[in-house]
Amino acid sequence: DVKVTQSSRYLVKRTGEKVFLECVQDMDHENMFWYRQDPGLGLRLIYFSYDVKMKEKGDIPEGYSVSREKKERFSLILESASTNQTSMYLCASSPRLAGPASNEQFFGPGTRLTVL
Amino acid sequence: LAKTTQPISMDSYEGQEVNITCSHNNIATNDYITWYQQFPSQGPRFIIQGYKTKVTNEVASLFIPADRKSSTLSLPRVSLSDTAVYYCLVGDYILTGGGNKLTFGTGTQLKVEL
């Protein structure tokens, strides 16, 4: 089974702190994603990466950056955390299967981040 | 971009069949229809995917009419453990490097009671 793990289930940080959220997958997937999930808004894509050191912005990249130095690891960075970044953060991965049928992504358990 | 519309919530009882319908009037010719399930405090999990007619796996069935403007996820004989949020979505477009950009809406909250 594909396993996607995230470094923390719960995290509490203060406004202005630099925050790192780590994600690791063990299935040699090329694609990795970071989403945030908020009540009433569904899941929104922050950033994704399709290869090592490659990244592209999703729908809501402002206030975030990412790093992918190794294929299995994708990090989300909040340079200066703010209260409006309090959310559930979900990491996902998928193999590189170009085409309309490539809709299966494997999600981690999520990190609930609270910024005070 | 194909947008999906599904009921906000549904209630059912154990042992019943549950059908959740999703509309996607602007679905593109190449789009597949995909359903995910999400339990509280977990990430979404892929359930089933199809293009047209009927698809069945060990978890659910997916019915897609000929015009593909809607689809119905069918869960046979639900149990309490099927209480979850169910998302209907289509791939928005192919991302750089392969794989589809997926847009998750707010989904349908299914509550199963005894």
Side-chain angles (χ1 to χ4, degrees):
Chain A
D1 281 350
V2 176
K3 192 161 188 180
V4 179
T5 57
Q6 296 184 228
S7 50
S8 305
R9 291 302 304 268
Y10 300 93
L11 206 55
V12 179
K13 296 291 182 180
R14 297 206 174 272
T15 301
E17 282 193 75
K18 190 169 187 175
V19 181
F20 292 87
L21 302 182
E22 306 285 342
C23 174
V24 177
Q25 51 95 3
D26 66 358
M27 281 301 293
D28 203 36
H29 285 168
E30 287 80 13
N31 297 328
M32 295 189 74
F33 307 83
W34 274 107
Y35 295 86
R36 62 177 284 178
Q37 184 171 28
D38 301 289
L41 296 177
L43 278 79
R44 292 178 290 168
L45 181 64
I46 304 171
Y47 267 97
F48 71 95
S49 169
Y50 56 91
D51 206 345
V52 175
K53 295 191 184 298
M54 306 305 286
K55 61 186 179 183
E56 287 200 20
K57 295 179 180 179
D59 298 321
I60 51 165
E62 296 79 18
Y64 303 94
S65 62
V66 290
S67 172
R68 190 152 180 216
E69 296 298 317
K70 293 185 178 182
K71 190 175 185 180
E72 68 271 18
R73 188 178 298 269
F74 192 34
S75 302
L76 180 69
I77 304 156
L78 288 65
E79 296 290 342
S80 177
S82 63
T83 55
N84 63 13
Q85 292 179 310
T86 291
S87 186
M88 170 70 87
Y89 289 88
L90 291 158
C91 174
S93 72
S94 71
R96 182 178 296 155
L97 298 172
S102 305
N103 288 348
E104 184 171 7
Q105 296 181 11
F106 299 85
F107 283 81
T111 296
R112 185 162 295 280
L113 172 67
T114 301
V115 182
L116 302 175
Chain B
L1 302 177
K3 176 181 169 58
T4 61
T5 302
Q6 55 185 120
I8 294 174
S9 63
M10 293 182 71
D11 295 326
S12 184
Y13 293 97
E14 275 203 318
Q16 289 189 335
E17 178 184 77
V18 171
N19 296 308
I20 306 175
T21 296
C22 176
S23 67
H24 25 78
N25 291 317
N26 297 322
I27 190 168
T29 302
N30 289 338
D31 284 339
Y32 278 65
I33 299 150
T34 310
W35 286 79
Y36 278 76
Q37 174 192 57
Q38 186 177 23
F39 298 112
S41 301
Q42 295 187 25
R45 181 176 74 105
F46 174 93
I47 303 176
I48 197 166
Q49 178 173 286
Y51 185 79
K52 61 181 178 181
T53 62
K54 177 183 175 182
V55 180
T56 297
N57 62 22
E58 64 278 5
V59 177
S61 294
L62 178 60
F63 299 90
I64 304 167
D67 66 6
R68 302 198 334 117
K69 293 185 182 299
S70 67
S71 59
T72 299
L73 176 73
S74 181
L75 304 172
R77 300 183 58 79
V78 294
S79 64
L80 293 175
S81 62
D82 291 315
T83 294
V85 178
Y86 293 83
Y87 298 93
C88 162
L89 44 95
V90 299
D92 285 358
Y93 56 83
I94 296 175
L95 298 167
T96 305
N100 289 331
K101 178 184 180 297
L102 304 179
T103 298
F104 287 77
T106 52
T108 296
Q109 173 67 63
L110 173 65
K111 183 178 180 182
V112 180
E113 298 175 297
L114 288 172

